[in-house]
Amino acid sequence: MADLMGDRAGTKIRVWAVPSVVARAVGAVAGRFMPLVKDMTAMFAWFDTGRYVADPRRQEQLFGPVPTAEDALARYTDELVTAPVKGPRPVPRRPAA
């Protein structure tokens, strides 16, 4: 994902892996004060159970063909690149050739 989005945005995106035990601990603590974090923690716990299965058939019936992951990332990256930013906008760094 980072490579696809970085190539599209013309910049290098660094990825840091956070161990799941750390993410769960932070979610448990922050979730007490931030309902969104609590909800996201519950959502990821549900994903981990394996009971969630993506079935895009209904989406395709309502909205047309389901985009590929690459198409969705490209559109999202384009939105981020063109979104207005409050304050000074950082200058994107081009990767060295």
Side-chain angles (χ1 to χ4, degrees):
M1 283 179 46
D3 288 341
L4 288 171
M5 293 178 77
D7 290 345
R8 183 83 178 195
T11 188
K12 176 76 173 156
I13 298 176
R14 293 186 300 159
V15 177
W16 293 0
V18 176
S20 63
V21 69
V22 173
R24 290 177 200 277
V26 169
V29 173
R32 294 180 181 172
F33 310 102
M34 303 171 71
L36 177 65
V37 173
K38 184 176 182 178
D39 289 345
M40 288 185 70
T41 301
M43 178 183 69
F44 287 120
W46 180 55
F47 288 164
D48 287 343
T49 67
R51 292 183 290 180
Y52 173 79
V53 178
D55 182 0
R57 288 180 292 186
R58 183 66 176 147
Q59 177 184 345
E60 189 168 14
Q61 290 172 350
L62 295 172
F63 303 109
V66 178
T68 65
E70 291 81 5
D71 290 338
L73 282 172
R75 279 187 281 148
Y76 181 59
T77 303
D78 290 346
E79 289 177 17
L80 291 176
V81 168
T82 60
V85 176
K86 293 181 181 179
R89 185 177 195 109
V91 177
R93 294 184 308 214
R94 301 277 179 188

